[in-house]
Amino acid sequence: MTQIDTHPAARRKPQDKELVPRFMARAMLILCLTVLAVVTWARLTDRPLVATPPEGAIVTERAIVLSGDMAGRATVTAPDGTLIAELTPQEGGFVSGVYRVILRERTKHGVAPDAPLALRRRDTGRLEIHDPTTGWSADLMGFGADNAKAFARLLAN
């Protein structure tokens, strides 16, 4: 009868190579610690935010009421109930996504979900959506030109 070696060292397979070289892991650690140090320094010294979009004056503003569903359909009406746009899932995916974010914010603040929003164009050419009930706002240009156009059409109607 043959004897089976049960020692753990005998059962291990030799490793070919390290998956991540040691110098690379150390470089990533140094990078993370450097970023953490810079952010901490900026917050402790109250450095001003420099990568924010320019404010600008409001040129055009329109009050809208959004509603949507998980499939991507969205309905946009004026506060008096006049239909501005009825968007299919192909057209209204981004508008419906923004509606879900606003709905979440309003739920957190305990605000009615059907309150009007302000859709604004500033003199800098940027579009913004603002929820006066929660104080939430988003610069729509940050989501890409196509997504900003979806809201620009609502401002034009």
Side-chain angles (χ1 to χ4, degrees), residues 21 28 44 52 58 61 74 80 105 123 126:
M28 290 302 297
L44 291 176
T52 57
I58 298 170
E61 183 172 13
D80 64 3
E105 285 295 314
D123 64 356
R126 301 184 82 84

PDB file of all heavy atoms in Angstrom, residues 21 28 44 52 58 61 74 80 105 123 126:
ATOM      1  N   PRO A  21       2.338  43.003  -9.387  1.00  0.00           N
ATOM      2  CA  PRO A  21       3.703  43.222  -8.901  1.00  0.00           C
ATOM      3  C   PRO A  21       3.705  44.089  -7.638  1.00  0.00           C
ATOM      4  O   PRO A  21       2.876  44.993  -7.486  1.00  0.00           O
ATOM      5  CB  PRO A  21       4.389  43.956 -10.056  1.00  0.00           C
ATOM      6  CG  PRO A  21       3.543  43.688 -11.241  1.00  0.00           C
ATOM      7  CD  PRO A  21       2.165  43.447 -10.752  1.00  0.00           C
ATOM      8  N   MET A  28       0.060  52.233  -5.958  1.00  0.00           N
ATOM      9  CA  MET A  28      -1.367  52.511  -5.771  1.00  0.00           C
ATOM     10  C   MET A  28      -1.645  52.987  -4.345  1.00  0.00           C
ATOM     11  O   MET A  28      -2.444  53.897  -4.125  1.00  0.00           O
ATOM     12  CB  MET A  28      -2.213  51.277  -6.093  1.00  0.00           C
ATOM     13  CG  MET A  28      -2.247  50.927  -7.569  1.00  0.00           C
ATOM     14  SD  MET A  28      -2.858  52.276  -8.590  1.00  0.00           S
ATOM     15  CE  MET A  28      -4.506  52.435  -7.966  1.00  0.00           C
ATOM     16  N   LEU A  44      -9.706  71.202   5.232  1.00  0.00           N
ATOM     17  CA  LEU A  44      -9.325  71.854   6.484  1.00  0.00           C
ATOM     18  C   LEU A  44      -8.975  73.321   6.292  1.00  0.00           C
ATOM     19  O   LEU A  44      -9.154  74.133   7.203  1.00  0.00           O
ATOM     20  CB  LEU A  44      -8.149  71.110   7.129  1.00  0.00           C
ATOM     21  CG  LEU A  44      -8.473  69.717   7.670  1.00  0.00           C
ATOM     22  CD1 LEU A  44      -7.219  69.039   8.199  1.00  0.00           C
ATOM     23  CD2 LEU A  44      -9.543  69.776   8.757  1.00  0.00           C
ATOM     24  N   THR A  52     -16.440  74.176 -10.403  1.00  0.00           N
ATOM     25  CA  THR A  52     -17.888  74.273 -10.495  1.00  0.00           C
ATOM     26  C   THR A  52     -18.260  75.086 -11.733  1.00  0.00           C
ATOM     27  O   THR A  52     -17.513  75.966 -12.144  1.00  0.00           O
ATOM     28  CB  THR A  52     -18.475  74.937  -9.236  1.00  0.00           C
ATOM     29  OG1 THR A  52     -17.875  76.218  -9.076  1.00  0.00           O
ATOM     30  CG2 THR A  52     -18.236  74.103  -8.002  1.00  0.00           C
ATOM     31  N   ILE A  58     -30.076  84.095 -14.914  1.00  0.00           N
ATOM     32  CA  ILE A  58     -31.137  83.295 -15.536  1.00  0.00           C
ATOM     33  C   ILE A  58     -31.734  84.091 -16.690  1.00  0.00           C
ATOM     34  O   ILE A  58     -32.204  85.215 -16.512  1.00  0.00           O
ATOM     35  CB  ILE A  58     -32.212  82.922 -14.506  1.00  0.00           C
ATOM     36  CG1 ILE A  58     -31.604  82.066 -13.397  1.00  0.00           C
ATOM     37  CG2 ILE A  58     -33.363  82.205 -15.182  1.00  0.00           C
ATOM     38  CD1 ILE A  58     -32.522  81.841 -12.221  1.00  0.00           C
ATOM     39  N   GLU A  61     -36.742  80.836 -17.821  1.00  0.00           N
ATOM     40  CA  GLU A  61     -37.140  79.898 -16.770  1.00  0.00           C
ATOM     41  C   GLU A  61     -38.565  79.439 -17.043  1.00  0.00           C
ATOM     42  O   GLU A  61     -39.407  80.230 -17.475  1.00  0.00           O
ATOM     43  CB  GLU A  61     -37.055  80.557 -15.394  1.00  0.00           C
ATOM     44  CG  GLU A  61     -37.392  79.618 -14.260  1.00  0.00           C
ATOM     45  CD  GLU A  61     -37.117  80.224 -12.889  1.00  0.00           C
ATOM     46  OE1 GLU A  61     -36.894  81.439 -12.785  1.00  0.00           O
ATOM     47  OE2 GLU A  61     -37.118  79.459 -11.923  1.00  0.00           O
ATOM     48  N   ALA A  74     -42.034  59.344 -19.830  1.00  0.00           N
ATOM     49  CA  ALA A  74     -42.103  60.551 -19.014  1.00  0.00           C
ATOM     50  C   ALA A  74     -43.183  61.473 -19.559  1.00  0.00           C
ATOM     51  O   ALA A  74     -43.402  61.545 -20.766  1.00  0.00           O
ATOM     52  CB  ALA A  74     -40.757  61.269 -19.010  1.00  0.00           C
ATOM     53  N   ASP A  80     -50.366  74.230 -14.402  1.00  0.00           N
ATOM     54  CA  ASP A  80     -51.825  74.274 -14.558  1.00  0.00           C
ATOM     55  C   ASP A  80     -52.393  73.006 -15.189  1.00  0.00           C
ATOM     56  O   ASP A  80     -53.590  72.892 -15.400  1.00  0.00           O
ATOM     57  CB  ASP A  80     -52.238  75.503 -15.368  1.00  0.00           C
ATOM     58  CG  ASP A  80     -51.716  75.480 -16.804  1.00  0.00           C
ATOM     59  OD1 ASP A  80     -51.071  74.491 -17.205  1.00  0.00           O
ATOM     60  OD2 ASP A  80     -51.956  76.465 -17.535  1.00  0.00           O
ATOM     61  N   GLU A 105     -35.327  62.544  -3.686  1.00  0.00           N
ATOM     62  CA  GLU A 105     -35.014  63.712  -2.851  1.00  0.00           C
ATOM     63  C   GLU A 105     -36.259  64.216  -2.131  1.00  0.00           C
ATOM     64  O   GLU A 105     -36.206  64.565  -0.948  1.00  0.00           O
ATOM     65  CB  GLU A 105     -34.422  64.838  -3.699  1.00  0.00           C
ATOM     66  CG  GLU A 105     -32.998  64.619  -4.109  1.00  0.00           C
ATOM     67  CD  GLU A 105     -32.037  64.589  -2.927  1.00  0.00           C
ATOM     68  OE1 GLU A 105     -32.124  65.462  -2.042  1.00  0.00           O
ATOM     69  OE2 GLU A 105     -31.195  63.674  -2.896  1.00  0.00           O
ATOM     70  N   ASP A 123     -27.345  82.728 -18.848  1.00  0.00           N
ATOM     71  CA  ASP A 123     -26.681  83.488 -19.907  1.00  0.00           C
ATOM     72  C   ASP A 123     -25.351  82.872 -20.321  1.00  0.00           C
ATOM     73  O   ASP A 123     -24.782  83.240 -21.329  1.00  0.00           O
ATOM     74  CB  ASP A 123     -26.509  84.953 -19.517  1.00  0.00           C
ATOM     75  CG  ASP A 123     -25.606  85.153 -18.311  1.00  0.00           C
ATOM     76  OD1 ASP A 123     -25.156  84.168 -17.702  1.00  0.00           O
ATOM     77  OD2 ASP A 123     -25.357  86.329 -17.971  1.00  0.00           O
ATOM     78  N   ARG A 126     -25.822  77.403 -20.212  1.00  0.00           N
ATOM     79  CA  ARG A 126     -26.014  76.152 -19.481  1.00  0.00           C
ATOM     80  C   ARG A 126     -27.474  75.993 -19.067  1.00  0.00           C
ATOM     81  O   ARG A 126     -28.159  76.967 -18.773  1.00  0.00           O
ATOM     82  CB  ARG A 126     -25.100  76.110 -18.274  1.00  0.00           C
ATOM     83  CG  ARG A 126     -23.631  76.218 -18.674  1.00  0.00           C
ATOM     84  CD  ARG A 126     -22.716  76.090 -17.501  1.00  0.00           C
ATOM     85  NE  ARG A 126     -22.473  74.708 -17.139  1.00  0.00           N
ATOM     86  CZ  ARG A 126     -21.576  73.925 -17.698  1.00  0.00           C
ATOM     87  NH1 ARG A 126     -20.847  74.376 -18.681  1.00  0.00           N
ATOM     88  NH2 ARG A 126     -21.399  72.694 -17.289  1.00  0.00           N
TER      89      ARG A 126
END
